Structure formats: structure tokens, C-alpha cells
Amino acid sequence: MFAGSLALCICVARIRPQIIFPAVEQEKKQILFLGDSNIDYSFGGTEIPEMVMQEYDSVCYNCAIGGTCAANSTKPYKRTNYYSMFSLFNLSKMIETGDFSVMTRNKEFVDSASSNIRDKVLILEHLDYSAMDYVVLHYGMNDYFTGFPIENEEPYDEHTYKGALRCGIERMHKASPDATIILSSITYCRYQEVSDEGIEVGEPISGLSFNFGQGTIDAYRDAMRDVAKEYPYTYFLDNLEGMQLDDSNYTEEGLFQDHMHLGEKGREIYTKGFLELLRQIEMQ
């Protein structure tokens, strides 16, 4: 009996790692960012979560991973491929259960990961999710470029964008029951055809008109907005209407890093809209 109890304790300890974060400044608002590269990277400037901390009395945890989607691909992925590992459908399961062993037990995965990835794994393993005031889910760009279906007859099918969002929201609500969840929509982008040699071909086409077979970027924006309306603890940030970036100002210096990634000025515009939404939420 004792041996069985001891084994159970050891298993639980492995599944539920010791909580380290937040360890300081607990009086400040705690914000967790999950999402893709526009949240993940600074692109030589300042990351969006850092911009938020500079303007808002908060502690921000940037656990976004570039290249990730909300939805689940049916294609198998290698352990060294982070895209499926850290996409919302899989990441939210690890967060809900506290079991991150799919990452940490695999030495090849850990050894091959960049320092950025390893740092985020450390935070994800040890974050006190119950202490979060806000959880931000910023997904859509890679779902659009991958051509994931927006929805089908099964509302919780995680191979669809809406289904993955619903599942991710509900899992994150279980992990962070007191947090307000913010769904942050796809941002403006263009499709650029690239040859087999990696050379850009032709003129880039606006995501508002180019369709990979499942909808234009505004269709993915609308889908996220519709899902946000289904939950009383969820708010929606419209980055297409709100940021007012399109073909008319796309080339203005600082707005974009390339065809899809925000430049420093673009990230400033995003941060301004995000902080305005926080003020509106907190005035209610």
C-alpha cells in the first residue's frame, strides 16, 4: 500500500512541476501571452509583451512561439518541429494537465531547442496559471496560411480554427479560472509566392483578397470574433479594423517588417489598441 502511494506521489510530482512564477511583483496584473511570431519576436526592436509592461502596471509572460497555429494538423510532426508542439490545441492540453513531459523528457528536443524556446518551456512548466489576470490568445495568421478549415458541423473539432479556439479557451479557463481571456485577431498580411529556389515571385497579394481555400484574413477575424461571443469571460481584439493597416499604408516605414510581421511602429499600434481594450474591460 505504501509503495503504491509513494509511486502515485512521484507520478503527480512529475506531472505537476513546482510553481515558481509569479514569484515577485504579485501585486501587479499578471498577463500571459500565447500566440505566434508577431507576439513572440522583437524583430530587432521591442516585443509586444514588453511594450505592454512599459505602459501598463503588469508582469507579462511571453510564451508565444513563432509559426504556431490554433488548429491541429493531421500531418505527423517531428519532435524537433516546434510548430505542432506549441500550437494552441496541444499547448492548452499541457497547461490544463500540467504534464509537459512530451517536451521535457525528450533529450533531442531539449538539446536542439533554441535558448528562446528553452526559456519559454521553463516558464510554461512553472507558471502559476491560477494567478493570471489576463490570458491573451493571438492565433490566426498561420491557420490562414496553412489553409485550416474555419469550421465544420462539429463545434469542437480541433482540426478547424473555431473548434481549436473553443477547446483552447475552455482549457485555459480551467487553468486560469479568474483570468479574463482576450482573443487577439489575425493582423493584416500579404501572400507572397516564393519559388522552389526561395526567390519571391510576382507582386504580393493582400490577405483581404487572397484565399488559400478556406477564407480570406477577414473571415478568420470574423470567426474569432464569433467564438469570443460564446463565452462571458472572453473579449475580442479586432486587429484588422482596430489597427487600420491595409494596402494603402502597408509600405509606410516601420509598420511592417516584411509581408506578415509587424515592424516597431506596427507593434506600437497593436499595443495601443490592446491597452485601450484593457482600460475598457477594467472600467466595467
Side-chain angles (χ1 to χ4, degrees):
M1 181 67 179
F2 174 75
S5 300
L6 179 60
L8 178 61
C9 291
I10 292 172
C11 290
V12 170
R14 287 178 178 171
I15 293 174
R16 294 282 182 184
Q18 181 183 3
I19 290 172
I20 298 176
F21 308 106
V24 296
E25 299 183 298
Q26 295 186 46
E27 73 282 0
K28 295 186 177 183
K29 296 290 186 181
Q30 306 285 320
I31 306 176
L32 170 63
F33 284 86
L34 303 176
D36 57 31
S37 53
N38 268 319
I39 301 295
D40 184 3
Y41 300 128
S42 65
F43 298 107
T46 307
E47 298 171 1
I48 284 173
E50 186 177 344
M51 288 180 171
V52 171
M53 283 199 296
Q54 291 172 357
E55 300 293 331
Y56 183 73
D57 192 28
S58 61
V59 178
C60 294
Y61 304 93
N62 184 358
C63 291
I65 304 291
T68 55
C69 302
N72 181 6
S73 173
T74 56
K75 298 177 181 178
Y77 65 91
K78 297 179 180 179
R79 289 297 178 97
T80 54
N81 186 328
Y82 309 124
Y83 303 138
S84 292
M85 181 82 74
F86 289 100
S87 287
L88 180 62
F89 78 91
N90 197 40
L91 183 56
S92 61
K93 292 177 184 177
M94 292 189 285
I95 290 173
E96 180 188 21
T97 62
D99 184 1
F100 295 90
S101 61
V102 67
M103 295 184 294
T104 57
R105 73 187 175 201
N106 188 283
K107 189 176 185 301
E108 180 184 355
F109 175 85
V110 174
D111 290 347
S112 64
S114 66
S115 59
N116 176 55
I117 294 287
R118 289 196 296 270
D119 288 346
K120 291 182 178 182
V121 169
L122 179 66
I123 295 173
L124 288 165
E125 274 194 288
H126 299 289
L127 186 63
D128 182 0
Y129 294 96
S130 67
M132 295 302 103
D133 295 289
Y134 294 98
V135 174
V136 183
L137 305 180
H138 180 87
Y139 295 93
M141 182 82 72
N142 295 304
D143 296 85
Y144 161 71
F145 279 111
T146 304
F148 278 120
I150 290 177
E151 62 182 328
N152 59 25
E153 66 282 355
E154 172 50 57
Y156 287 96
D157 183 353
E158 290 189 85
H159 296 98
T160 70
Y161 184 56
K162 278 189 171 183
L165 286 176
R166 290 188 183 102
C167 292
I169 289 168
E170 294 180 17
R171 291 185 189 118
M172 293 310 304
H173 181 60
K174 290 179 182 177
S176 306
D178 296 326
T180 296
I181 296 177
I182 295 176
L183 295 190
S184 173
S185 86
I186 189 172
T187 51
Y188 178 77
C189 64
R190 288 183 174 187
Y191 166 68
Q192 176 66 64
E193 185 178 356
V194 180
S195 70
D196 294 338
E197 292 75 30
I199 301 172
E200 293 183 350
V201 179
E203 291 296 320
I205 306 171
S206 169
L208 293 167
S209 57
F210 192 87
N211 187 337
F212 284 92
Q214 301 297 330
T216 50
I217 56 176
D218 50 324
Y220 285 83
R221 182 272 313 274
D222 294 347
M224 178 177 272
R225 177 196 60 204
D226 293 345
V227 171
K229 293 177 180 178
E230 299 175 9
Y231 300 92
Y233 48 82
T234 303
Y235 288 81
F236 175 63
L237 180 63
D238 185 344
N239 294 314
L240 290 185
E241 293 293 330
M243 294 184 68
Q244 297 183 329
L245 302 179
D246 54 32
D247 286 334
S248 66
N249 57 12
Y250 172 79
T251 58
E252 185 178 328
E253 185 176 357
L255 287 178
F256 283 90
Q257 180 82 8
D258 50 32
H259 302 305
M260 66 183 76
H261 296 114
L262 298 171
E264 188 80 359
K265 185 176 179 180
R267 294 195 296 280
E268 289 174 359
I269 294 172
Y270 174 96
T271 301
K272 181 179 179 180
F274 178 80
L275 292 175
E276 178 58 33
L277 177 59
L278 290 190
R279 294 187 187 100
Q280 292 175 12
I281 293 172
E282 294 180 359
M283 287 175 61
Q284 295 179 4

